[in-house]
Amino acid sequence: MAPCSFSARMNLLRSPSIRLFLCWLALSAILPAQQYVFHAYRQADGLKNLAVKALTRDREGFLWVATENGVYRFIGSDFKQFGREQGILELNIEDVVADSTGTVWVGTSENLYRWDGRRFLPAGRDPIHIMGPQRIAIEDARHLLVVDKDRIYRMEHDQNGRMLSYLPVFTDRFVEAHPNLGQIHNVNVVNKRTSGSRVWIGCGKELCTWLDGVIDKPGQSRDGAVTEWGADKGLPADSWESVILDHAGTLWTAGRKHVAVLPAGAAH
């Protein structure tokens, strides 16, 4: 069965105010109807840099914040900065994610680090380059998906976060046949209760997706495992940066110039 098109009503909306409204609409579909009072944290609260690139929450409930001047952990009343003294050699933090084992992963343009409970350590023997936000995704308790420069890799690690293997998901031959897979700039893992995980990646000016588990071994690809979503399926050319799934099963994606929506059940 051929994949359905992204909704033409949504994918050509360019206004930033409309995009903001649509993001609010998507969140309102996910969260129950409640009234919230927001509190803005600033430098007086220990957050010394307000250029925030990514957020994550670890197993203990702590909030981690990636900024252009280090990574911060919110400890309930204020923020604690983690930097060179804790093992991260670079100031500009591009991404941060936390997995179910309690390991926090921090990416910079020069390396990927893991938190061992006391300090940050390089994730591998060789540098891993994280060139922007949303380039690290939790696949499961033992695997990370990592966009290293322009290619996507699967990292296998033990329960303490120590790397066991680090291999490309797509072979060079497969990338030659699908050039967009050599221009990857983000990765998102979307979990569905009924159909498992689906991996969405920004590839060139399109979105690419595959069902997690269809490509069952790192470095081995199967024809037909990857679907490329572009103009022929109703998705305009853009740098697609994020993907979320609401409780109704509708997929929302945001690019630099567009917001697009894929109805529930269409990505089969």
Side-chain angles (χ1 to χ4, degrees):
M1 177 177 171
C4 297
S5 300
F6 276 83
S7 171
R9 293 175 298 172
M10 303 298 292
N11 61 23
L12 297 178
L13 295 178
R14 299 173 180 267
S15 167
S17 61
I18 293 178
R19 286 180 58 194
L20 181 61
F21 168 74
L22 290 173
C23 291
W24 171 86
L25 185 63
L27 288 174
S28 67
I30 299 171
L31 300 173
Q34 299 183 39
Q35 291 185 345
Y36 295 93
V37 177
F38 287 91
H39 173 77
Y41 290 96
R42 303 186 183 278
Q43 293 181 348
D45 302 296
L47 190 60
K48 298 178 182 179
N49 190 283
L50 302 181
V52 175
K53 293 190 173 183
L55 301 170
T56 194
R57 189 178 66 174
D58 67 19
R59 186 177 61 180
E60 305 300 323
F62 290 111
L63 178 71
W64 294 80
V65 184
T67 80
E68 293 180 353
N69 187 28
V71 64
Y72 294 79
R73 184 174 68 180
F74 184 60
I75 58 177
S77 57
D78 56 12
F79 291 84
K80 178 181 178 181
Q81 185 180 20
F82 293 78
R84 182 175 289 270
E85 292 184 0
Q86 292 78 30
I88 302 176
L89 301 183
E90 299 79 34
L91 283 177
N92 189 9
I93 310 301
E94 298 289 353
D95 204 0
V96 58
V97 298
D99 64 27
S100 60
T101 69
T103 302
V104 177
W105 305 85
V106 168
T108 75
S109 62
E110 300 299 324
N111 215 342
L112 176 65
Y113 300 89
R114 63 177 177 86
W115 174 247
D116 71 352
R118 299 183 302 275
R119 61 184 289 104
F120 282 96
L121 303 171
R125 292 183 296 272
D126 300 317
I128 296 172
H129 303 279
I130 309 299
M131 307 302 292
Q134 292 191 270
R135 298 192 177 210
I136 315 168
I138 306 300
E139 186 177 22
D140 55 42
R142 293 291 183 268
H143 297 88
L144 288 182
L145 295 174
V146 177
V147 180
D148 187 347
K149 295 184 178 178
D150 295 325
R151 295 286 294 273
I152 189 165
Y153 293 78
R154 177 183 278 121
M155 177 195 292
E156 182 180 3
H157 57 85
D158 64 18
Q159 63 182 1
N160 296 315
R162 290 187 290 264
M163 181 190 292
L164 301 176
S165 65
Y166 185 69
L167 296 170
V169 170
F170 303 114
T171 63
D172 291 341
R173 183 176 180 179
F174 197 78
V175 172
E176 288 178 3
H178 304 271
N180 281 331
L181 295 177
Q183 306 174 52
I184 295 174
H185 45 82
N186 63 70
V187 58
N188 299 268
V189 177
V190 175
N191 296 305
K192 289 187 175 182
R193 295 180 180 178
T194 56
S195 57
S197 299
R198 185 180 291 270
V199 180
W200 291 84
I201 54 180
C203 54
K205 295 297 182 180
E206 298 183 350
L207 275 174
C208 297
T209 183
W210 82 85
L211 282 172
D212 200 10
V214 173
I215 301 174
D216 54 5
K217 294 182 179 180
Q220 294 186 1
S221 302
R222 296 179 179 176
D223 290 339
V226 174
T227 300
E228 297 182 55
W229 300 80
D232 60 330
K233 295 182 176 66
L235 188 68
D238 202 344
S239 179
W240 296 100
E241 298 175 345
S242 61
V243 174
I244 62 170
L245 187 75
D246 67 24
H247 69 87
T250 301
L251 187 98
W252 299 77
T253 181
R256 295 183 179 179
K257 298 180 180 179
H258 306 85
V259 172
V261 61
L262 184 65
H268 291 303

